[in-house]
Amino acid sequence: MTEMSAMSRKIIQNLAETLSKQVKHFNKTEAECLIRLFNGLLGEQTDRRVGLGLDRSKFRNILHNTFGMTDDMIMDRVFRAFDKDNDSYISVKEWVEGLAIFLRGTMDEKIKYCFDVYDLNGDGYISREEMFHMLKNSLIRQPTEEDPDEGIKDLVEITLKKMDYDHDSRLSCADFEKAVRDENLLLEAFGTCLPDAKSILAFEQHAFQEPQER
Amino acid sequence: MGVALTRAAQWTMGKLEVSPLNEALLNDIVNFVEQFNSRHPQEAKLVFTEPLQWTTALQASDFTSEYELSGSSVHSQDTDKDGCPLLQLIPPDISVRSFSHLCKVVQLANDSKLKEVWACLEANREPVVKMLGPNFTTAEVSDSSPEAEFKVKLLLILQQLDTQLLNSSITQLSQKVRLSPAAVKRDVELLKSVCGAGEKRLLKSVRYTSDYEFSNGCRSPPWRQAHGEIAYLIIEPCDTEPLFITCSTAGVYLNSGIKQEGEENAYERKSDVYKDLVTLLKSKSLHFTENINEQVVFLNLRREIKMNLFCFHKSPGGGTAAEEFSESSSESEEDEEQSERRGESHTDLPSEYWQIQKLVKYLKGGNQTATVIALCCMRDFNLAQETCQLAIRDVGGLEVLINLLDTDEVKCKIGSLKIMKEISRSSQIRRAIANLGGLQTMVSILDSPDKELKCLAAETIANVAKFRRARRTVRQYGGIKRLVELLDCVPDSAMLSTEQEKDVEVACCGALALWSCSKSTRNKEAIRKAGGIPLLARLLKSPQKNMLIPVVGTLQECASERSYRIAIQTEGMIEDLVKNLNCDNQELQMHCASAIFKCAEDKRTRDLVRQYEGLQPLVVLLNEADNKQLLAAVTGAIWKCSMSMENVVKFEEFKALERLVSLLTDQPEEVLVNVVGALGECAQRPANRATIRKSGGIPPLVSLLTGTNQALLVNVTRAVGACATESENMMIIDRLDGVRLLWSLLKNPNPDVQASAAWAICPCIENAKDAGEMVRSFVGGLELIVNLLKSPNKEVLASVCAAIAKIAKDEENLAVITDHGVVPMLSNLTNTVNDKLHRYLAEAVARCCMWGSNRVAFGEAGAVAPLVRYLRSKDPSVHQATAQALFQLSKDPSNCIAMHENGVVKLLLGMMGSTDEVLQEAAAGCVANIRRLALANEKAKYG
C-alpha cells in the first residue's frame, strides 16, 4: 500500500512538473495541489469510466457549490470551454489549464475564454439569437406586456449597438475584445462565467494550503 | 403694429377673435388711423407699395364729392405714378394705397369703423409689409429721395404705435391668472370631492383623459404642452351634456371633445377662456351655479386647510437646523443652492429622456447581467449634460443606482459608481444623492477590498461633498477616518508593482475626497485626529501631479488651522511646497503658494522658505499676470514672507519691487491687498522706499486710498505711511493730496483702518513742509482726531496719541486741540494698561505740556501718578517717553509733589545711569526740578 502511494506520489510530482511548465500561472507545488484535488474529486465519482476524467454533472456541481454559479446554460458552456478535446470529460490537464484562466487569467485570456463561452454554436460569432438565448432570463417579465420578450429583444439591440463595431449585426471576437477593453464591465456581458474575487480567494486557500495542514 | 398684431392679438383659424383684448387693440388702431391725417399730413400722402384690400360694407353712396363715382364703383381723384387711383371701390371690394385715404374711409364708416378696420386687418395680415414693401427694413435705405425719407418716418410712426399697443396689451394680459399644473390638480381634486351620487352633489363626475402624469405635472402630450396646455378633463355636470375641457396656462376652455389622445382636430377651442374650472362650470351648468354658493365656504375652507398642511410639510425638521449653522466652512456659500432653474412646463423632452427611462427600467427589473449591460449603455450618454443628469434623477434612476451600491455584486457597484461619479458634477444631483442616503453607502464601500471600487467611491464622495451638509454626513458616518486610511501607500519609490500602483491610485482618489471634505473646519480636525497629516506629508513627496494637486489642495485648505500650520513646518513640508513652486502646473503652483501664504505668518516658516530658496520662484511667478488666482496666492505668499527683513533683502535682489509696483493697477482686489501688503512690508527698508518712488509706485498707492475694501485700506495706509518717512516721497504724497485722503480714513468705521491711517499720518506730519499749515487746512480735522481718543480700541488710541504728539509740535495746532479738550481726554487714558499705548500717550502728554496751563491741567486731572508707574515698565522706549513727559510736568511745583509722593526719584535716579542720552537728560532734568523745588522750599522755611 505504501509502495502504491509512494509510486502515485512520484507520478503526481512528475505530472505536476510537466504541467507547471506547460501552463502559465501555476508553480509546481500549486499544480501538484490541483492534481491532488482533481484526484480527490475523481475518487468521489462513482462512474466506472474514471480514467477519462470529471464528467459534466460533477463539474457542474463544483461550479455551483464552489464558485457560486447558477445559470445552467452558462455552466454547460463553461464545461465545454474546459473540455477542449470535446470528449465530455475533463482530463487532469484540461482541469489545470482551465483553472489557470479561471483563477489567474490575464485580461486577454479571459476575453478569449468568455467569448468562447458565449459563442454557443462555436462559429466564431455571437449572433442576435445567441444573445437572446443567453439574456432571455435576465429581465423580470411584466405579465401586462403584450410581448413579454420585448424587453429582452430591446436589450439585445442596445447591446449590439454598443458592442458591434463593424455593424454586421453580430459580435466577432474582435468586436467583443474592443468593447471589453473599452469597458471592462462588459467582460461577462452575457452571464457570469468567471468566479468572483471572494470565491477565488476561498478556493485558493482551500486548494493550496491543505497539504501543509496535513 | 405688426408685432402687436401677431403676438398679442388672439387669432383662431386666420380670424381675429372677438375678445376684449382684441377689441381694445382695434380701438387703439382706429384712433390712430383717424388722427393720422391731421398729425402726420406728409406721411399720409405716401403711396403704399401694395394696396390694402379687403371686403367692405361701404357703398358708393357713402362717399363724398371728393371721390368720383361711376355707378356702384368709386375711385379717388389722385393717382400714383402709373395712374392707378389711390382708392378704388368695386363693391364689396375696396383697395386703398395711402394713409390719407385710409383715414377718410374710417371717417366715412362712422359706426362701422371698428368693423372696417377689423376686416382690413384680417385680410391684410402684414399691413406694414404692404405699406412699405417687404424688404424695407432690411434693404438699402441709402437712397435719400424724399420718398424714402417719408417711408422711414412712417416706419418709425408705425413702430411707435406697435410698442404702444404691446404695452397696453401686456397690462391686460397680466391681469389674467396664469394656471399652473399644481393649481389645476388642486382644483380637480376639489371638484372630485363634490362629485358623487347624493342629492347634494354638484357634478356627476370629473376625470382626466389621461392617467399618465408627466414629471412636470402635465397630463397633455408633450407636443400640446408646447401650446401651454396642461391637461384635458371630461366633466359631467348634473344638468347638461358632458363638458370636454382643456386646462392651459392661459386658462380653461371647452375643446371639441378630447376623449383620448391623438385626435388632432379635437384640440380646437370652442368657448371663451375662463380663469379657472369653477368659473367655467358656473357659466355652463346652472345646477352647479345654484349649489356652489352653499358649498363655496366649505370649498374655501378645504383649500385653506390643504395649503396650511402643505406649508407645514415644507418646513424642515428643527433639530438639524441648529447644527447646520454651527458648522463653519471656508466656502460656505459655494453650493448653497440656487433653486431649480426649470420652467413649470417642461415641454420639450429630448429623446435621451425616453432612452434613459427605458434603461432605468432594465436596471430595476434585470438580473446582474442585464443590469451591467444597462449601466454600460447609460454611460454612453453624455452624462455631463444637464438633460441626461436630470433625466436619470427624474425617472427614479438615482434611487436604483444607490440601491445597487448595497448589493453584493461588485460589477453593478462599479457600474453604478461610474455613472454617479459623472452626474454628481451637477449640484442638483449632489443634493439628491445626499438626500437619498447615498453617502452612507459610499463611505462603507471605502472598506471594500476591491481597489477600483474604493477609487470610484472616493471620487464620487469628492464630487458630492461640495456642500456643507454632505461634508458633515461624510464625517458623521466615519468617512474621514476611512478616507485617511486610503492615503496609506508608498508613493515615491521608483519601481512599483501593479498592486502598489493601484494603491497609489486609491490614495489619489482618497486625497481628492479629503480635499472636498476639508472645506469644513470640523473635518480638518477629523483629518488631523485620524492621523492624516503624516500621510499627507508622505504623499507630498510623490512625483505625480494628479496626486500632488489634491494633497496640496487639502493642505492649503487646512492651513487655516494653527495645528496644521505647525505641522506643515515641523513635518518638513515647506521644502516640498517650495519644490513644487517650480513645477509646470499652475494649479499646483497656486495651491503651494496659497499654503505658504497661510503658513508664513510664522517667522520660522518664512525662514524655511528662504532657506529652501523659495523666494525666487515666487518672484518669477509674479509674471503670470493672467492667472489671477495664482497671482493672488503668489502675492499673498510674498507679502507674508516679506515680514522678515532677510527675505526683503532677497526680494530686492530679485527685483521683486518693480514687479509688485507694476501690479498696482488693473488687478482684482484680492491681488491688490497682497501686493500692497508686500510693498508696505518691503518699504520698512529705506532703500526700497526710493525704489517704489522710482518705479512710479506712489501715485497708484495714493489713489488706492479712495477704495472701500477694508483689508486693502489697512495695507494701503501702512504702505503710504512707510513711504512717507522719506521726504522726497512725502513731496509726491503731498502733491497728490494723500494726507487729506489718509485723514478722511479716520472716519472709516473699521478701527483697523482708523489705526492704520493714524499711524500713516505720523510720518506725513513729520516730513511734510509746512505741516502745521497743512493740518490746519483740513476743516474739522483736528476735532476729528481728538475725538478718536474716545475709541475703545487700544491700537486706535496708541496711533492717535502718536499722531497728536506730532500735531502738537505746531503751537497753533496745539492751541486748537487744547480747546477741543485733549488734556482731560489724555488724562483719562493714563490708567489703561497697555505698554504700546503708554509710550505714545506719554509722548503726547509731553508735547501737550508745551501750551498754556496744560501742565497744571494734567496734574489736576490726576495724570501724574499713573505716569510715574509707567517707569516700572520693562520696555525702554516707554521709559524714554515717560521721562520726557515727567520732565515737562515737573515744571509745575504741585506735579513735583505728586511725583515725589509716588516715589519717582528712586526710579529716575536709576534711569539717569542709562546709556540712552535722551532718557538720561529727561530723567536728570526732572530730578533737578524736584530738587530745586525742595531747595526753594527749605529756603522759604529757614530763610
Side-chain angles (χ1 to χ4, degrees):
Chain A
M1 196 62 199
T2 43
E3 215 168 277
M4 269 287 285
S5 70
M7 218 177 77
S8 75
R9 191 181 296 136
K10 187 81 183 162
I11 293 168
I12 289 173
Q13 276 173 355
N14 283 340
L15 187 60
E17 178 98 40
T18 11
L19 280 179
S20 66
K21 275 175 191 154
Q22 285 171 356
V23 181
K24 277 200 292 181
H25 307 309
F26 292 129
N27 60 29
K28 192 184 158 223
T29 343
E30 284 165 344
E32 195 183 324
C33 291
L34 291 176
I35 296 165
R36 284 182 194 284
L37 189 68
F38 180 82
N39 288 344
L41 292 165
L42 271 187
E44 292 167 22
Q45 211 161 293
T46 50
D47 201 300
R48 56 203 148 76
R49 287 171 294 176
V50 165
L52 293 170
L54 290 173
D55 68 7
R56 184 179 294 259
S57 73
K58 186 68 199 165
F59 186 72
R60 278 180 46 163
N61 275 344
I62 298 167
L63 287 182
H64 184 76
N65 298 332
T66 315
F67 297 115
M69 293 192 185
T70 46
D71 189 330
D72 285 336
M73 185 191 51
I74 295 287
M75 284 196 284
D76 272 345
R77 294 296 310 160
V78 173
F79 178 81
R80 298 290 290 270
F82 269 67
D83 179 20
K84 293 222 173 72
D85 58 6
N86 269 328
D87 65 349
S88 297
Y89 289 94
I90 290 173
S91 71
V92 67
K93 184 160 180 269
E94 286 167 347
W95 165 255
V96 176
E97 279 174 348
L99 283 178
I101 296 170
F102 220 52
L103 302 174
R104 297 178 178 180
T106 62
M107 192 42 115
D108 287 322
E109 289 165 343
K110 283 180 180 172
I111 291 172
K112 173 82 179 57
Y113 161 82
C114 288
F115 185 81
D116 286 345
V117 169
Y118 299 142
D119 177 14
L120 300 181
N121 60 6
D123 67 348
Y125 292 98
I126 305 174
S127 66
R128 254 202 187 83
E129 293 69 32
E130 283 168 330
M131 280 186 214
F132 181 83
H133 197 60
M134 290 184 282
L135 293 176
K136 68 181 172 203
N137 293 319
S138 68
L139 285 179
I140 297 170
R141 305 205 173 201
Q142 305 288 342
T144 51
E145 275 175 30
E146 287 171 27
D147 180 4
D149 289 339
E150 198 186 299
I152 312 287
K153 283 179 187 158
D154 185 52
L155 201 58
V156 170
E157 287 314 310
I158 58 175
T159 315
L160 257 183
K161 196 175 145 207
K162 184 164 175 53
M163 300 175 75
D164 179 20
Y165 287 93
D166 54 10
H167 305 292
D168 60 353
S169 296
R170 55 186 185 171
L171 297 187
S172 62
C173 193
D175 283 335
F176 188 74
E177 184 177 343
K178 192 159 181 232
V180 176
R181 294 239 178 261
D182 190 44
E183 172 53 88
N184 291 343
L185 292 178
L186 289 173
L187 179 63
E188 294 175 77
F190 305 106
T192 312
C193 56
L194 285 168
D196 60 13
K198 220 191 275 174
S199 31
I200 290 181
L201 199 68
F203 178 82
E204 290 199 354
Q205 269 176 358
H206 167 75
F208 297 149
Q209 281 170 13
E210 230 166 4
Q212 281 90 2
E213 283 165 19
R214 274 182 196 172
Chain B
M1 182 155 75
V3 181
L5 284 175
T6 42
R7 293 285 157 79
Q10 297 162 321
W11 297 85
T12 26
M13 312 293 281
K15 299 231 172 221
L16 262 179
E17 286 171 21
V18 187
S19 72
L21 175 65
N22 285 351
E23 231 161 276
L25 278 178
L26 282 169
N27 274 327
D28 284 346
I29 297 172
V30 168
N31 284 338
F32 169 78
V33 176
E34 257 187 311
Q35 290 163 8
F36 200 94
N37 247 355
S38 48
R39 282 198 187 169
H40 315 283
Q42 283 177 310
E43 288 82 1
K45 290 192 185 105
L46 189 82
V47 177
F48 295 163
T49 315
E50 273 185 76
L52 296 178
Q53 291 172 309
W54 69 95
T55 315
T56 179
L58 292 174
Q59 299 294 321
S61 53
D62 293 330
F63 285 83
T64 52
S65 56
E66 278 176 66
Y67 294 92
E68 287 177 16
L69 285 81
S70 53
S72 64
S73 68
V74 178
H75 58 91
S76 62
Q77 288 163 343
D78 39 1
T79 59
D80 66 356
K81 297 193 284 277
D82 309 325
C84 285
L86 292 182
L87 180 144
Q88 196 163 22
L89 172 78
I90 305 161
D93 295 321
I94 187 167
S95 77
V96 181
R97 300 198 61 177
S98 81
F99 253 111
S100 60
H101 289 287
L102 265 184
C103 176
K104 279 177 194 150
V105 170
V106 171
Q107 284 163 356
L108 289 171
N110 271 332
D111 298 340
S112 56
K113 283 175 194 168
L114 203 62
K115 269 191 191 157
E116 287 303 316
V117 175
W118 198 301
C120 171
L121 290 175
E122 263 182 10
N124 303 283
R125 288 293 288 269
E126 289 181 280
V128 183
V129 174
K130 286 202 168 175
M131 289 172 191
L132 301 173
N135 302 322
F136 187 74
T137 41
T138 49
E140 77 303 338
V141 199
S142 51
D143 68 313
S144 53
S145 67
E147 196 192 0
E149 202 176 305
F150 285 136
K151 275 193 174 184
V152 175
K153 279 188 183 165
L154 182 58
L155 182 70
L156 287 177
I157 295 166
L158 290 173
Q159 275 176 345
Q160 242 173 1
L161 171 70
D162 209 6
T163 343
Q164 204 182 318
L165 290 177
L166 271 178
N167 282 341
S168 59
S169 58
I170 279 168
T171 26
Q172 289 219 4
L173 280 173
S174 57
Q175 284 163 1
K176 297 198 174 183
V177 188
R178 288 190 75 79
L179 285 180
S180 66
V184 169
K185 204 172 175 181
R186 208 164 52 222
D187 276 358
V188 171
E189 290 298 311
L190 278 169
L191 288 177
K192 276 185 178 166
S193 68
V194 298
C195 297
E199 189 68 5
K200 283 208 155 182
R201 67 179 181 179
L202 294 177
L203 300 164
K204 276 188 196 155
S205 75
V206 177
R207 61 187 173 87
Y208 291 110
T209 53
S210 159
D211 288 333
Y212 184 75
E213 188 182 330
F214 289 88
S215 58
N216 57 18
C218 291
R219 284 167 193 268
S220 56
W223 64 91
R224 296 303 301 178
Q225 288 178 23
H227 297 270
E229 291 176 8
I230 296 167
Y232 313 108
L233 293 168
I234 303 174
I235 299 184
E236 282 184 273
C238 298
D239 48 353
T240 60
E241 291 288 290
L243 301 170
F244 299 96
I245 297 171
T246 300
C247 302
S248 78
T249 50
V252 298
Y253 52 82
L254 297 184
N255 56 44
S256 316
I258 303 169
K259 286 166 193 151
Q260 271 173 352
E261 284 173 26
E263 297 162 55
E264 266 312 310
N265 50 2
Y267 294 111
E268 204 174 303
R269 209 180 93 196
K270 300 277 275 186
S271 75
D272 289 345
V273 180
Y274 297 89
K275 76 176 166 69
D276 60 23
L277 281 169
V278 176
T279 331
L280 180 137
L281 288 170
K282 272 187 186 173
S283 74
K284 298 293 172 193
S285 162
L286 196 64
H287 176 81
F288 186 81
T289 323
E290 280 167 359
N291 293 289
I292 182 85
N293 291 334
E294 293 170 23
Q295 297 207 7
V296 78
V297 183
F298 158 77
L299 276 176
N300 280 340
L301 197 67
R302 282 282 291 271
R303 182 173 296 199
E304 234 163 68
I305 292 169
K306 277 200 175 172
M307 273 160 67
N308 284 342
L309 277 175
F310 183 61
C311 295
F312 187 72
H313 280 303
K314 267 198 341 193
S315 75
T320 56
E323 204 188 345
E324 188 118 6
F325 288 113
S326 69
E327 187 112 346
S328 62
S329 69
S330 53
E331 284 171 58
S332 51
E333 307 306 325
E334 92 263 46
D335 211 35
E336 300 302 326
E337 213 54 10
Q338 63 274 115
S339 63
E340 216 143 296
R341 285 170 282 116
R342 288 198 296 170
E344 52 184 26
S345 67
H346 202 63
T347 49
D348 42 347
L349 290 165
S351 64
E352 288 100 323
Y353 184 93
W354 307 110
Q355 290 164 21
I356 285 174
Q357 188 177 43
K358 198 173 65 185
L359 288 176
V360 169
K361 200 176 82 189
Y362 298 152
L363 284 185
K364 283 180 185 163
N367 67 1
Q368 191 205 355
T369 310
T371 304
V372 169
I373 292 177
L375 287 171
C376 292
C377 290
M378 202 179 272
R379 284 196 66 208
D380 288 344
F381 287 94
N382 181 3
L383 295 176
Q385 203 183 325
E386 199 189 18
T387 24
C388 293
Q389 295 165 349
L390 296 182
I392 293 177
R393 184 192 64 176
D394 292 347
V395 299
L398 274 183
E399 285 89 337
V400 187
L401 289 175
I402 290 172
N403 278 344
L404 283 175
L405 298 184
D406 275 324
T407 62
D408 283 336
E409 303 293 349
V410 177
K411 287 205 188 70
C412 296
K413 289 194 212 181
I414 290 177
S416 162
L417 281 171
K418 277 180 174 174
I419 292 171
M420 285 213 275
K421 183 182 102 183
E422 294 303 321
I423 59 177
S424 56
R425 292 174 205 278
S426 140
S427 64
Q428 294 178 29
I429 300 290
R430 291 203 273 270
R431 283 183 182 262
I433 291 177
N435 290 340
L436 293 168
L439 282 169
Q440 287 88 315
T441 331
M442 284 190 259
V443 165
S444 61
I445 288 180
L446 295 176
D447 287 336
S448 153
D450 189 303
K451 284 170 188 166
E452 186 180 7
L453 202 50
K454 277 201 269 202
C455 272
L456 286 166
E459 277 179 284
T460 316
I461 291 175
N463 280 342
V464 177
K466 292 261 159 65
F467 64 103
R468 224 186 319 174
R469 185 162 51 84
R471 290 196 282 266
R472 195 182 59 220
T473 312
V474 173
R475 185 181 66 245
Q476 284 170 347
Y477 285 87
I480 300 290
K481 193 167 161 289
R482 290 182 170 93
L483 288 170
V484 167
E485 280 163 11
L486 298 190
L487 299 183
D488 201 355
C489 72
V490 196
D492 48 351
S493 74
M495 292 298 288
L496 290 179
S497 70
T498 18
E499 280 306 298
Q500 281 173 319
E501 261 172 33
K502 275 188 194 162
D503 283 337
V504 172
E505 222 168 283
V506 170
C508 186
C509 298
L512 265 177
L514 284 175
W515 186 13
S516 291
C517 290
S518 67
K519 289 186 172 101
S520 299
T521 317
R522 288 202 205 163
N523 283 352
K524 294 175 193 172
E525 183 67 14
I527 295 172
R528 192 177 60 81
K529 280 192 181 149
I533 298 179
L535 290 171
L536 286 170
R538 195 163 75 182
L539 294 179
L540 195 54
K541 307 226 178 276
S542 155
Q544 296 173 27
K545 273 186 201 74
N546 57 353
M547 171 71 92
L548 284 170
I549 290 174
V551 167
V552 181
T554 312
L555 283 172
Q556 71 90 12
E557 200 65 63
C558 291
S560 59
E561 302 295 300
R562 211 182 106 77
S563 52
Y564 276 89
R565 291 200 291 269
I566 294 170
I568 288 174
Q569 190 196 94
T570 54
E571 301 256 350
M573 289 190 250
I574 297 291
E575 183 180 3
D576 298 304
L577 290 174
V578 166
K579 193 179 78 196
N580 285 315
L581 280 178
N582 290 314
C583 74
D584 54 2
N585 180 308
Q586 292 205 342
E587 192 183 359
L588 182 53
Q589 288 172 323
M590 178 187 79
H591 292 313
C592 288
S594 172
I596 293 175
F597 178 18
K598 285 177 183 168
C599 294
E601 292 261 2
D602 182 272
K603 185 175 181 309
R604 177 95 191 89
T605 304
R606 294 198 289 268
D607 292 343
L608 284 173
V609 174
R610 183 181 65 252
Q611 280 167 24
Y612 293 123
E613 300 179 339
L615 300 177
Q616 186 164 21
L618 283 174
V619 175
V620 171
L621 284 174
L622 285 178
N623 294 320
E624 302 291 343
D626 294 332
N627 185 340
K628 297 302 175 195
Q629 278 180 304
L630 176 61
L631 200 56
V634 168
T635 49
I638 291 182
W639 170 23
K640 296 298 174 185
C641 286
S642 61
M643 285 176 176
S644 293
M645 280 308 126
E646 297 93 325
N647 290 352
V648 174
V649 174
K650 285 279 174 190
F651 284 136
E652 277 168 35
E653 206 177 288
F654 302 134
K655 307 251 178 276
L657 266 91
E658 287 83 349
R659 282 297 304 148
L660 287 171
V661 167
S662 73
L663 291 173
L664 280 174
T665 41
D666 294 335
Q667 296 297 335
E669 272 182 354
E670 55 269 31
V671 175
L672 279 177
V673 171
N674 299 341
V675 169
V676 174
L679 285 176
E681 293 303 333
C682 291
Q684 305 299 321
R685 270 175 59 89
N688 289 336
R689 293 174 207 147
T691 314
I692 293 175
R693 181 185 67 240
K694 281 173 192 154
S695 44
I698 292 180
L701 277 175
V702 170
S703 73
L704 285 174
L705 287 172
T706 54
T708 51
N709 181 322
Q710 315 259 316
L712 180 56
L713 284 175
V714 170
N715 285 355
V716 176
T717 43
R718 182 171 160 80
V720 171
C723 290
T725 46
E726 201 118 311
S727 58
E728 267 186 79
N729 290 355
M730 189 55 220
M731 275 161 61
I732 304 174
I733 295 173
D734 200 9
R735 201 173 60 227
L736 296 166
D737 219 2
V739 186
R740 183 188 298 276
L741 293 173
L742 281 174
W743 212 286
S744 62
L745 287 176
L746 294 175
K747 289 185 212 154
N748 192 292
N750 184 335
D752 292 341
V753 178
Q754 288 173 351
S756 186
W759 286 122
I761 284 171
C762 299
C764 290
I765 295 174
E766 200 157 297
N767 294 310
K769 275 186 190 159
D770 300 325
E773 192 52 46
M774 177 184 75
V775 170
R776 271 192 297 285
S777 73
F778 304 142
V779 178
L782 289 171
E783 188 178 2
L784 174 68
I785 201 163
V786 170
N787 279 331
L788 278 179
L789 288 174
K790 292 175 190 157
S791 165
N793 183 305
K794 297 261 167 61
E795 187 68 22
V796 174
L797 291 174
S799 63
V800 169
C801 284
I804 284 177
K806 304 289 181 203
I807 293 167
K809 281 185 184 169
D810 181 279
E811 223 175 35
E812 265 186 67
N813 289 337
L814 177 54
V816 175
I817 57 173
T818 307
D819 285 347
H820 286 308
V822 77
V823 173
M825 280 171 154
L826 288 175
S827 307
N828 276 342
L829 293 175
T830 48
N831 280 316
T832 42
V833 187
N834 179 311
D835 256 358
K836 193 173 183 185
L837 173 59
H838 288 168
R839 174 183 164 189
Y840 293 103
L841 181 59
E843 269 181 23
V845 170
R847 284 290 169 187
C848 289
C849 283
M850 306 295 196
W851 180 253
S853 59
N854 282 359
R855 284 190 189 96
V856 183
F858 276 120
E860 283 165 358
V864 175
L867 276 170
V868 173
R869 281 202 300 279
Y870 294 178
L871 290 178
R872 294 196 171 90
S873 157
K874 290 191 180 76
D875 182 355
S877 62
V878 176
H879 297 164
Q880 193 200 60
T882 310
Q884 282 177 306
L886 289 174
F887 171 58
Q888 288 299 330
L889 288 170
S890 68
K891 290 178 182 168
D892 175 64
S894 51
N895 287 346
C896 284
I897 296 168
M899 283 180 217
H900 191 260
E901 278 168 1
N902 283 285
V904 79
V905 177
K906 196 178 166 204
L907 293 165
L908 285 176
L909 283 174
M911 286 174 190
M912 282 161 71
S914 156
T915 47
D916 177 352
E917 285 182 12
V918 182
L919 173 59
Q920 242 180 39
E921 199 181 332
C926 185
V927 172
N929 283 338
I930 296 171
R931 183 68 202 140
R932 246 177 243 129
L933 178 68
L935 282 175
N937 210 10
E938 270 173 39
K939 208 171 176 184
K941 239 186 221 168
Y942 307 109

